[in-house]
Amino acid sequence: RRARSSPVRRYQRRPQPPLPPYQMSRTTNFALIGTGGVGRALLEMIMSSRDHHASTYGLWLNACLVADSSGAIAAPSLADARLRDALKLKESGGKLKDMSGGDGVVARADGQTPSDFLSQLVDGLAPDTIVVDCTATDDTSSALESALAKGQRVVCANKKPFSGTQALYDALVGHPHRHIQRVRHESTVGAGLPVIAALQRLTAANDPVKRVAGTFSGTLGYVMTGLQEGRPFSAIVTEAKELGYTEPDPRDDLGGVDVARKALIIARGMGWRMEMKDVAVEPLYPADFASLSVDDFMKRLPELDAGFADKASAAKAQGQTLRYAASIEDGKLTVGPQTVALTSPLGSLSGTDNLVEFYTKWYPESPLVVRGAGAGAGTTAAGILADMVELAFSQSANTK
């Protein structure tokens, strides 16, 4: 007598209508740390994808914790209605410690650091819970390390832990053997762009990466495109600030540190062992501009117009153009303005898109190129959600 096939196998053979949570073939717990723009976009995306995840994967992503720096809501299963209440509170400028309408509210104690508070929350999670870091702070580092030590899994959009010390990177990613079934950090580099995934596939195929060149800032891409069009540097930066493309202090973008962090994560993904101090970064303003107030900085920007105009003209005369790019090659990681051929992938880039070129054994002259929008809450949340679904179907973190 033939044994009856399992419900999961039957479900995989032919499409089925969406199932209620208790009939899902797989339920995966997740804990969200960070409810800024990206964190809120992620929760919205998870809830709007319920039917898709059910019909395509038989998957239910179960929220058991949502936290900000003030407090958290926690329960074995947070209903979507509860999550929407949290979103409304955060969108109105509120804090999770002030959530009402139910139990499970945890407030950070007076005198307790955000780092200790987040570590405390993570300590109470079940094994195999996916801890999702949507913050932009160093305060999550200890919590992420603790999560992995306790058999949980990690998805991260926060680039600071992965661009911190080499020792912290090793603890998160795994050294010398990488625990790829427990950690995903795609969105630390290019929002939803599959940059880390491309690098990991090259590594898995033993296709050595000899050189990487890339632009990792939509803001700086916008500035470089403006210079290519012959516009004054000061006018481009002023316009970018007015459009909200830059941080309130444009030096946070023009300094190149964010690009350097992303490039460092890629270099480490290639197996390089280096610290941030080893990265050569050239900002788009002179050192004496660093101590100015924002207003004074903006007023003095026209002093830089002639120099950038000369560089853009010289590049154009040689069939090249300026790009603010990172270069990873021969043991050196450099970040700053570079001249590239107009016919190259980097040279063809315009606007705020990001682009990464991988030159390898099998892609020696025509590189493997990843290109697209590299910023935005929606695209970043999409990258995080894809990482979460992949981890949901990875081997258990506790399977030996």
Side-chain angles (χ1 to χ4, degrees):
R1 185 187 229 176
R2 292 182 60 189
R4 294 180 62 188
S5 59
S6 71
V8 175
R9 289 182 179 176
R10 289 202 308 273
Y11 183 74
Q12 291 174 336
R13 286 175 180 171
R14 59 181 182 272
Q16 297 289 326
L19 304 174
Y22 60 85
Q23 290 182 340
M24 293 295 174
S25 63
R26 184 177 296 261
T27 297
T28 299
N29 293 334
F30 75 90
L32 173 64
I33 301 174
T35 51
V38 173
R40 296 198 302 271
L42 176 63
L43 284 180
E44 292 279 12
M45 197 171 291
I46 289 172
M47 291 187 287
S48 66
S49 300
R50 293 295 193 198
D51 287 349
H52 170 69
H53 287 154
S55 61
T56 305
Y57 304 111
L59 173 66
W60 180 267
L61 292 173
N62 177 61
C64 61
L65 174 78
V66 177
D68 63 13
S69 61
S70 76
I73 53 173
S77 182
L78 292 166
D80 283 1
R82 186 69 165 155
L83 297 179
R84 290 192 175 93
D85 287 343
L87 288 175
K88 290 178 182 177
L89 176 67
K90 294 300 298 185
E91 287 166 358
S92 67
K95 299 179 179 180
L96 289 181
K97 71 179 181 65
D98 299 322
M99 276 285 290
S100 60
D103 297 329
V105 177
V106 182
R108 177 162 63 91
D110 291 340
Q112 186 179 30
T113 67
S115 177
D116 288 344
F117 174 63
L118 295 175
S119 294
Q120 172 191 319
L121 293 176
V122 167
D123 285 346
L125 298 174
D128 280 339
T129 299
I130 299 177
V131 179
V132 184
D133 182 1
C134 288
T135 72
T137 174
D138 294 313
D139 291 332
T140 60
S141 297
S142 294
L144 299 181
E145 286 190 271
S146 177
L148 291 172
K150 294 180 179 298
Q152 295 150 14
R153 292 173 282 186
V154 167
V155 170
C156 201
N158 179 8
K159 64 182 74 67
K160 288 189 176 179
F162 290 85
S163 61
T165 65
Q166 181 70 56
L168 176 57
Y169 180 88
D170 290 346
L172 296 176
V173 174
H175 180 77
H177 304 295
R178 302 178 186 178
H179 35 65
I180 61 174
Q181 294 175 328
R182 300 180 58 198
V183 178
R184 293 287 189 278
H185 60 291
E186 187 67 77
S187 294
T188 60
V189 173
L193 294 178
V195 177
I196 300 296
L199 177 57
Q200 289 177 339
R201 289 181 63 84
L202 293 170
T203 302
N206 192 26
D207 185 9
V209 178
K210 300 178 180 179
R211 177 173 175 257
V212 177
T215 58
F216 301 100
S217 169
T219 300
L220 296 179
Y222 183 83
V223 171
M224 293 297 110
T225 298
L227 290 175
Q228 185 177 353
E229 294 170 349
R231 300 176 59 200
F233 177 73
S234 60
I236 303 166
V237 174
T238 300
E239 182 179 70
K241 187 174 186 294
E242 292 172 350
L243 291 172
Y245 289 170
T246 73
E247 296 295 331
D249 185 344
R251 285 169 294 194
D252 292 343
D253 298 288
L254 301 176
V257 174
D258 189 63
V259 175
R261 288 187 181 276
K262 296 175 181 179
L264 178 59
I265 293 171
I266 291 179
R268 287 174 169 173
M270 294 165 55
W272 291 22
R273 304 185 61 75
M274 62 191 312
E275 305 289 350
M276 179 62 78
K277 63 181 178 59
D278 300 319
V279 183
V281 183
E282 181 183 346
L284 290 178
Y285 56 86
D288 60 313
F289 277 40
S291 60
L292 299 174
S293 67
V294 175
D295 287 343
D296 288 341
F297 174 78
M298 298 301 296
K299 289 176 183 177
R300 292 189 60 182
L301 276 179
E303 298 176 24
L304 309 180
D305 287 348
F308 279 110
D310 289 345
K311 291 179 181 179
S313 296
K316 183 178 181 179
Q318 298 176 3
Q320 298 179 322
T321 189
L322 287 176
R323 293 288 180 261
Y324 196 92
S327 178
I328 307 169
E329 185 178 17
D330 294 334
K332 296 180 181 179
L333 201 171
T334 59
V335 173
Q338 302 177 14
T339 55
V340 299
L342 283 168
T343 55
S344 69
L346 281 177
S348 67
L349 194 66
S350 64
T352 59
D353 278 1
N354 287 4
L355 184 148
V356 185
E357 303 171 342
F358 291 99
Y359 293 86
T360 73
K361 176 181 178 181
W362 301 117
Y363 298 90
E365 296 179 2
S366 180
L368 173 64
V369 176
V370 180
R371 175 177 180 169
T379 52
T380 303
I384 298 165
L385 182 53
D387 278 349
M388 293 173 67
V389 172
E390 286 185 0
L391 277 191
F393 288 93
S394 69
Q395 183 182 10
S396 169
N398 298 300
T399 300
K400 301 297 183 183

